[in-house]
Amino acid sequence: MNDLLAGLGVALVLEGLLWAAAPQKARRALEEISTFSNGRIQACAVAAVALGVFVVWLARG
């Protein structure tokens, strides 16, 4: 459970850093993503999940 909470905390820090450091670029990225088809968004999400699982697998080895 501690690892899950630590991971969520790191995710929130990274998300917050993007909005704090470059809010205009983040807003522009959201506008661009909103033009993507649902299939493309889902494909990117699946790829992100797979990459995340791989990184955790490497770290926890």
Side-chain angles (χ1 to χ4, degrees), residues 6-45:
L8 288 173
V10 169
L12 288 171
V13 167
L14 293 175
E15 182 79 19
L17 282 174
L18 170 66
W19 287 99
Q24 190 60 32
K25 288 186 181 190
R27 185 182 309 270
R28 204 170 323 130
L30 283 178
E31 289 171 356
E32 185 171 334
I33 290 169
S34 71
T35 67
F36 292 178
S37 69
N38 286 344
R40 186 171 178 189
I41 292 171
Q42 285 176 319
C44 290

